[in-house]
Amino acid sequence: MPQDTSSIPGASSSTPQSPVEKPSAPPVNILPSPIARIYSIAHPALLLGLGATRFEALVADPTKELLSTLPWLTLVQIFYVIVCLPPAGSTPSTETGTSAPADGKSSPRSSGPGGAARHGKHGKRKQHANSWACIWSRSLPAFLSLSLTFALATPVLTILLVLFGAPLTTHNSETVLCAAHMAVLSATALIYVHGVDRAVWNEVWGIARPADAVWGSALGTGLGAWFGAIPIPLDWDRPWQAFPITILVGAYIGYAVGSLISRTPLVYGKRVKFTSEDLSDTEKKSN
């Protein structure tokens, strides 16, 4: 007679258990400091302004201009991620840098005029140390994300540009430099806030991330470059139609538009979905 193992302690169940799916990373919020709030809005306008002032030089010599402006773009993006975005693995407590007691009570030693003065001096010194520690804690992942951007994102975008019609045997320097600009615009912030989280990057390649300033700017860069390629084959005989001028201009405009629109209440946190389940649900509601 077969023995019932359900009552035996430690007996394993024969029913297979489905793996627990890791929850998706939530949308990324801009840091709450006033400078972060202000600069996160001024940053897209700054990039567009810089691009507009250098447009004539870009048309005259694309390779030279792309190469000379790449370091400036890199510095601007590094400043943006350090000032405005939380690094991967950070928590609100580590970003605010506060060290107030949990019960909200002041220390007995700080009571009295002398204690208040000493507390003020120590508080300023500690706040200054915390600010430097906070800057360092953001600078290191910023430079690591920049390294991964040039080492991984730039080659990937170069291949994608060629697959989508960029010249394979000519204009190689323009293709690589255009990919580098697009990588710094789109990938630096993504790597900075998400690291190498596999679940997040699956959503990135599947265009399934919830909308925020980081994902919106990356998606806008890609869409802007896509639409920017439309004027290239048209027979207008304009000097600015040469590859990759319009692609790069579209990428910059898409970055700015995507960064700002994705932060609005109507778009923030929303996802673009292409699954069959969503389509079937929409058909049922329409019927």
Side-chain angles (χ1 to χ4, degrees):
M1 181 176 182
Q3 184 180 2
D4 184 10
T5 59
S6 60
S7 60
I8 300 177
S12 59
S13 175
S14 60
T15 304
Q17 295 181 353
S18 59
V20 179
E21 185 178 356
K22 183 180 179 180
S24 173
V28 177
N29 292 317
I30 300 296
L31 293 177
S33 64
I35 186 174
R37 298 288 184 179
I38 295 173
Y39 185 72
S40 64
I41 297 176
H43 177 70
L46 174 62
L47 289 180
L48 290 180
L50 292 176
T53 57
R54 303 303 303 173
F55 181 74
E56 292 184 1
L58 179 65
V59 174
D61 192 343
T63 302
K64 180 181 178 180
E65 184 63 22
L66 289 175
L67 187 60
S68 62
T69 55
L70 183 59
W72 295 105
L73 172 64
T74 301
L75 290 176
V76 171
Q77 284 296 97
I78 286 295
F79 182 78
Y80 167 68
V81 298
I82 291 176
V83 171
C84 301
L85 301 176
S90 64
T91 59
S93 59
T94 59
E95 287 303 318
T96 56
T98 56
S99 58
D103 55 0
K105 298 180 181 179
S106 60
S107 173
R109 295 184 180 181
S110 63
S111 60
R118 289 193 300 271
H119 180 71
K121 293 180 180 179
H122 289 297
K124 291 180 180 179
R125 191 180 300 113
K126 191 171 184 180
Q127 184 179 5
H128 183 69
N130 286 339
S131 63
W132 279 108
C134 186
I135 292 175
W136 172 251
S137 66
R138 298 179 191 173
S139 300
L140 183 59
F143 287 106
L144 289 176
S145 64
L146 185 64
S147 301
L148 291 176
T149 296
F150 284 116
L152 298 178
T154 300
V156 170
L157 287 176
T158 301
I159 295 173
L160 289 177
L161 285 175
V162 172
L163 292 177
F164 281 102
L168 179 60
T169 58
T170 61
H171 299 79
N172 294 327
S173 58
E174 290 91 337
T175 302
V176 174
L177 288 172
C178 180
H181 276 252
M182 292 176 59
V184 173
L185 287 173
S186 59
T188 305
L190 278 173
I191 300 173
Y192 179 80
V193 298
H194 296 301
V196 291
D197 191 338
R198 182 177 178 181
V200 171
W201 287 99
N202 286 338
E203 291 181 338
V204 169
W205 290 111
I207 317 180
R209 283 291 303 155
D212 54 36
V214 177
W215 171 234
S217 59
L219 184 60
T221 301
L223 291 177
W226 176 283
F227 287 108
I230 294 177
I232 294 178
L234 301 179
D235 56 349
W236 294 344
D237 296 330
R238 296 291 188 272
W240 52 263
Q241 288 181 261
F243 174 85
I245 297 173
T246 57
I247 293 177
L248 195 66
V249 171
Y252 272 77
I253 295 176
Y255 175 91
V257 174
S259 176
L260 295 176
I261 290 182
S262 60
R263 296 176 56 185
T264 61
L266 293 178
V267 180
Y268 178 81
K270 303 295 191 304
R271 298 173 185 265
V272 179
K273 297 182 179 180
F274 302 100
T275 59
S276 58
E277 295 179 358
D278 299 324
L279 295 176
S280 62
D281 292 341
T282 304
E283 292 177 357
K284 289 180 181 179
K285 290 181 182 179
S286 61
N287 294 332

